[in-house]
Amino acid sequence: GDSVTQTEGLVTLTKGLPVMLNCTYQTTYSPFLFWYVQHLNEAPKLLLKSSTDNKRTEHQGFYATLHKSSSSFHLQKSSVQLSDSALYFCALSGTNTGKLTFGDGTVLTVKP
Amino acid sequence: NAGVIQTPRHKVTGKGQEATLWCEPISGHSAVFWYRQTIVQGLEFLTYFRNQAPIDDSGMPKERFSAQMPNQSHSTLKIQSTQPQDSAVYLCASSLDGTSNSDYTFGSGTRLLVI
């Protein structure tokens, strides 16, 4: 079945530094990849998504590129802000059912 | 557009009691998904509906969990004989058409505590 791996459980950074959150996936279908962000006591919200190989997608300063050759969809930002502190989920829709498989999530904490 | 509405926001039940959780999807969305979120297991898929029909319930604990979608405006998740390990945040999400590139809008969740 489909699976998503996020290798970092917790990332702590100082404001202004760059960040990369790792996401790799496995599926036998043509993949759609998503990043969701969940702030404390809030619902997860879509950050960005892609199904196009080697095309960078951006939103709210975050960006990611789907690389089918390496089955990766890493999330990056060049300069993190305090407000970026949240839980980030990578998710995969590998079948044509619309069901998402989520990674375990990465908690990003940004310090002043 | 009020988003996906889940009620109640918090529920405390005694072990062995029944809990019913409600979800109202975004108007016009034809797919509804239920997930369970815990610190240990993360986001676990439970079940989903498309056009009110059950499509996939592979994540549902079969013995005590059931879900229904009697009309396009709401879905319910029922847990019979609740156990402490059922304590979690139950998230409902809807998407426009339930296809692979259709992104989810999540509700705020119901935090269930079984004591």
Side-chain angles (χ1 to χ4, degrees):
Chain A
D2 294 347
S3 67
V4 176
T5 301
Q6 294 181 245
T7 53
E8 309 96 358
L10 177 64
V11 173
T12 302
L13 288 171
T14 301
K15 173 186 171 183
L17 291 179
V19 65
M20 183 169 83
L21 306 183
N22 290 314
C23 173
T24 56
Y25 64 90
Q26 285 190 320
T27 182
T28 56
Y29 296 88
S30 183
F32 284 85
L33 272 296
F34 303 78
W35 277 100
Y36 282 82
V37 57
Q38 185 178 26
H39 288 92
L40 193 61
N41 296 323
E42 294 184 8
K45 294 178 182 176
L46 179 68
L47 185 55
L48 44 80
K49 65 179 182 181
S50 180
S51 62
T52 305
D53 200 12
N54 298 317
K55 181 180 178 182
R56 175 167 153 160
T57 183
E58 300 187 36
H59 185 61
Q60 295 182 339
F62 288 91
Y63 59 95
T65 302
L66 176 60
H67 292 296
K68 293 185 180 180
S69 60
S70 58
S71 298
S72 67
F73 190 58
H74 305 319
L75 181 68
Q76 297 180 269
K77 190 175 186 183
S78 58
S79 174
V80 294
Q81 304 303 308
L82 296 176
S83 58
D84 294 329
S85 294
L87 176 58
Y88 291 81
F89 290 102
C90 183
L92 164 69
S93 178
T95 67
N96 63 353
T97 65
K99 167 185 160 184
L100 289 182
T101 299
F102 286 87
D104 290 338
T106 298
V107 174
L108 174 63
T109 301
V110 180
K111 296 186 173 181
Chain B
N1 185 348
V4 176
I5 299 172
Q6 289 190 250
T7 55
R9 288 296 306 275
H10 302 273
K11 186 171 182 67
V12 181
T13 64
K15 181 179 174 181
Q17 291 184 328
E18 182 179 288
T20 300
L21 313 180
W22 294 72
C23 172
E24 181 180 328
I26 289 175
S27 178
H29 280 194
S30 64
V32 171
F33 302 83
W34 285 95
Y35 283 78
R36 175 168 63 182
Q37 185 175 24
T38 62
I39 292 176
V40 174
Q41 298 293 334
L43 276 166
E44 295 178 276
F45 169 78
L46 294 175
T47 187
Y48 97 92
F49 300 84
R50 186 189 296 157
N51 294 321
Q52 299 173 234
I55 302 299
D56 183 345
D57 67 353
S58 59
M60 293 277 274
K62 292 294 189 284
E63 299 81 22
R64 299 180 293 105
F65 285 59
S66 63
Q68 294 183 329
M69 191 163 185
N71 57 60
Q72 63 186 7
S73 64
H74 88 273
S75 174
T76 58
L77 179 68
K78 183 180 292 185
I79 309 172
Q80 295 178 314
S81 185
T82 54
Q83 303 297 310
Q85 61 265 30
D86 299 331
S87 297
V89 176
Y90 289 82
L91 289 166
C92 175
S94 69
S95 73
L96 183 62
D97 56 13
T99 56
S100 297
N101 67 341
S102 184
D103 49 83
Y104 289 10
T105 299
F106 281 92
S108 297
T110 294
R111 187 176 298 272
L112 176 66
L113 177 63
V114 182
I115 58 175

